[in-house]
Amino acid sequence: MESGSIHEAASYGDLDTLKKIVEERPWTVDQDDRHGWRPVFHAGLRRRLDVVQYLIDRGADLAAHDGYAIHYAAEVPDNKDIVSLLITYGGLDAHTKPSNEAARQFIYAVFLANVHRVETMLRTDSRLVHVRYARGDTALHHASRNGDLDIVRQLVVHEADVNDTADNGHFPLYCAAGHGHAETTRYLLENGAKRDTTMADGKTVADWLRQFSDHDLRMKACLEVLER
C-alpha cells in the first residue's frame, strides 16, 4: 500500500487525511490501488465505519468490481454495522444480484446474520436455501465466508448442500477456512464437508491454507481443524 495514499488513510481510519485527499482530488474516492482495491474496500475490511460513511457520502461506487466492498466487509467478525450501511446504499445487490424479491430479502437477512428471520423465511419457503446468486454462490457460500455460524447451522438444517460448488470453483469449506473462520470450518466438516475437495488449481483447502498459516493466526487455526 502506497504511503500517503487514500488507500492507506482509509485502512488506518485517518479521516482527516482522507478528507484532504478527496477535497484536492475528488476522483480518488474510486481510485484502484495496485491490487484493484478501492478505498471503501480497505475501510470496510478494517472496520472504519466513519470512513465508509464519508466515502459513501462522497459518491463511492459500491457496485465496483462486482460489489466487492461488501464482500470484504462481511468476512470480518463484529462488522455488521458496516454491512448494514453497505446494504442500505445498495452494495449487496451489486454483489449478489438477487433474481427476485424473496431472494433479495433472504440474502439481506443472511448477511445481517438475522437468525430468526432466516429461520422463519426458510420455514415459509425452504427452496430459498438452494437459490443461486451472482457467480453461482448460494446463501451457504456467503454465510460460510462471513463466518456466521448460527446462519450456517440454519441453512444446513434446511438441507443446504455443504459440498456445493459455485461457478468459480469455491465451496463452503473453502469459503469458511479461506477467510479464517475456524468454528464454521469445524461445523462444516462435522456435517459432511469433504476435506479432500480440490479447487481449480488442484489444491485442497489445507494445501491453500499452508501458504498463509505461518503469519496468519486465523488461517493457522483453520488448518489445525482441517488436519485433525
Side-chain angles (χ1 to χ4, degrees), residues 67-155:
Y68 261 48
I70 202 163
H71 171 93
Y72 294 117
E75 71 182 61
V76 181
D78 303 319
N79 205 25
K80 295 306 181 188
D81 50 355
I82 289 180
V83 171
S84 179
L85 182 61
L86 293 170
I87 287 175
T88 298
Y89 286 91
L92 185 55
D93 285 54
H95 184 53
T96 60
K97 298 179 175 63
S99 58
N100 57 59
E101 188 57 34
R104 177 179 288 105
Q105 293 188 35
F106 184 65
I107 203 65
Y108 281 19
V110 167
F111 266 77
L112 291 170
N114 187 328
V115 178
H116 179 70
R117 181 161 174 77
V118 167
E119 196 274 334
T120 300
M121 292 188 75
L122 286 172
R123 276 207 318 265
T124 302
D125 185 359
S126 62
R127 294 171 299 178
L128 288 167
V129 81
H130 303 299
V131 168
R132 292 196 180 275
Y133 296 88
R135 295 167 298 279
D137 283 334
T138 65
L140 184 59
H141 289 90
H142 287 296
S144 299
R145 189 179 294 120
N146 299 345
D148 291 324
L149 181 54
D150 289 340
I151 299 296
V152 169
R153 287 193 182 107
Q154 281 295 324
L155 296 169

Side-chain angles (χ1 to χ4, degrees), residues 6 20-31 58-59:
I6 189 171
K20 291 177 183 177
I21 294 172
V22 173
E23 286 167 6
E24 293 173 2
R25 292 168 287 162
W27 56 270
T28 58
V29 166
D30 281 327
Q31 182 182 23
R58 294 306 296 254

